[in-house]
Amino acid sequence: MKSLAYSVLLFVSLSSSCWAQISTADQLDQQGLAATCANCHGTNGKGVPNASIPLISQLSSEELLAQLLAYKSGTRSGTLMPQLTKGYTDAQLESIANQLGQKP
């Protein structure tokens, strides 16, 4: 009976550890995708001093995703954004929007 309890405890412990690693890997992937926006929009979309690039930090995840998909589909015009968004899948754009739309 004791060995069964240890086995269950070990399984639960390993499962939690594996889940934490997967979650961390997903979070890192999401942060990495969103970091590609920092060159123009600043860290976390908070802007770059003296740049004419729009701030995106005040937008919600839904607003960001709508804009990104509009650039990708061509319903919104732009110089660089239409080209950039076509390089991402819709799921990746959603991940970027979710990451940048998070508010502290």
Side-chain angles (χ1 to χ4, degrees):
M1 188 67 169
K2 238 179 178 179
S3 66
L4 177 61
Y6 287 127
S7 296
V8 169
L9 182 60
L10 179 62
F11 175 76
V12 170
S13 177
L14 290 175
S15 295
S16 297
S17 176
C18 290
W19 180 253
Q21 289 176 355
I22 290 170
S23 179
T24 300
D26 288 344
Q27 289 171 346
L28 286 174
D29 183 51
Q30 193 170 1
Q31 290 171 350
L33 286 171
T36 61
C37 305
N39 284 339
C40 297
H41 294 281
T43 303
N44 296 323
K46 294 182 179 175
V48 176
N50 302 321
S52 61
I53 307 291
L55 300 177
I56 57 174
S57 61
Q58 76 280 5
L59 299 175
S60 69
S61 296
E62 294 80 17
E63 292 169 324
L64 284 166
L65 182 59
Q67 296 302 315
L68 291 171
L69 292 174
Y71 279 124
K72 185 177 180 180
S73 71
T75 57
R76 181 171 178 176
S77 63
T79 54
L80 188 57
M81 287 302 295
Q83 297 171 41
L84 290 174
T85 53
K86 289 178 183 166
Y88 294 97
T89 66
D90 289 356
Q92 289 173 319
L93 293 177
E94 184 175 356
S95 180
I96 291 169
N98 286 336
Q99 179 66 33
L100 292 176
Q102 292 180 1
K103 307 297 181 237

